[in-house]
Amino acid sequence: GQYFVKLPWRKDHPVLPNNYRMALGQLHSLRKGLLNIEGHLDIYNGIIKDQLKANFIEYVPDAKLTTHCHYLPHHCVAKDSVTTPLRVVYNCSARSGKGSPSLNDCLMTGPSMTEKLGDILLKFRTNKYAYSADISKAFLRVCLHEEDRDWLRFLWFKNPHDPDSDIVTYRFSSVLFGSTSSPFLLMATMDYHLKKSDSSLKDLI
């Protein structure tokens, strides 16, 4: 009942460095920033726990530092919203040093399959009614093939309220919102799903 995709690596892309130390340093800076605003650390921790519960991410029990892994720094973006006051942003463009590649540097973007805004506006003028829909956490509902998951590792605290807490390693088991290839991977999956569908509405959708 799931679709699986692989990351579209650029041919002859540069080798991604093991950037554990950079990710670890940014993690501790993040914690300090979250502690400055009451409740933000708990909300941030809750988002990660929810992603783990939904199987969007997975725990890496034996997180050895190898040449075949990469760590994504992440940070908080506050929003003026009652339901989602902040969100977690994973930086796929982060570089561990001058001249080092980022994850996005190593991935192909793919062709744009998103409908152009002008075309959408014109369609809104052609009929009496217009319908809009949203797929909740759409990117995260497309699974990532296991061989690519170690390139999407990230660090968090076992107990974020303990300054001496053990560091836990997670990795994405689904398509990450924020990588340059993700919009294509999502749209291509949706396009494939609709083309193989037996629904009478598939052409309209």
Side-chain angles (χ1 to χ4, degrees), residues 139-192:
F139 289 90
L140 294 169
R141 300 196 184 279
V142 182
C143 294
L144 185 66
H145 196 281
E146 188 165 358
E147 71 179 40
D148 283 332
R149 293 179 185 181
D150 276 329
W151 300 107
L152 299 178
R153 288 185 180 185
F154 69 94
L155 303 174
W156 188 238
F157 301 98
K158 187 174 183 179
N159 178 6
H161 288 283
D162 179 5
D164 299 317
S165 170
D166 290 338
I167 304 298
V168 180
T169 300
Y170 295 105
R171 65 180 187 178
F172 274 87
S173 53
S174 53
V175 171
L176 166 66
F177 178 76
S179 79
T180 189
S181 59
S182 293
F184 169 73
L185 291 174
L186 172 62
M187 296 302 291
T189 302
M190 292 173 62
D191 184 65
Y192 177 80

Side-chain angles (χ1 to χ4, degrees), residues 65-84:
L65 297 181
T66 71
T67 56
H68 297 285
C69 66
H70 184 74
Y71 292 83
L72 298 174
H74 49 97
H75 61 274
C76 165
V77 173
K79 299 171 64 180
D80 186 15
S81 170
V82 176
T83 55
T84 53

Side-chain angles (χ1 to χ4, degrees), residues 103-114:
L103 176 65
N104 278 345
D105 290 332
C106 299
L107 296 176
M108 292 187 288
T109 302
S112 175
M113 299 178 69
T114 306

Side-chain angles (χ1 to χ4, degrees), residues 34-146:
L34 291 171
L35 284 170
N36 288 333
I37 304 176
E38 185 178 354
H40 272 203
L41 184 62
D42 287 326
I43 296 172
Y44 202 95
N45 185 56
I47 292 172
I48 292 176
K49 296 304 180 187
D50 287 344
Q51 289 181 336
L52 182 64
K53 187 177 179 180
N55 296 320
F56 297 150
I57 62 174
E58 58 190 17
Y59 171 61
V60 183
D62 188 19
K64 293 179 180 178
L65 297 181
T66 71
T67 56
H68 297 285
C69 66
H70 184 74
Y71 292 83
L72 298 174
H74 49 97
H75 61 274
C76 165
V77 173
K79 299 171 64 180
D80 186 15
S81 170
V82 176
T83 55
T84 53
L86 60 84
R87 62 189 178 95
V88 181
V89 176
Y90 297 89
N91 188 358
C92 299
S93 296
R95 296 182 174 90
S96 58
K98 188 176 181 180
S100 295
S102 68
L103 176 65
N104 278 345
D105 290 332
C106 299
L107 296 176
M108 292 187 288
T109 302
S112 175
M113 299 178 69
T114 306
E115 196 161 8
K116 291 181 173 59
L117 182 59
D119 294 341
I120 294 173
L121 292 173
L122 287 172
K123 284 184 178 181
F124 265 69
R125 298 174 62 90
T126 58
N127 292 289
K128 187 174 182 180
Y129 300 104
Y131 293 89
S132 177
D134 178 60
I135 301 173
S136 173
K137 298 178 177 62
F139 289 90
L140 294 169
R141 300 196 184 279
V142 182
C143 294
L144 185 66
H145 196 281
E146 188 165 358

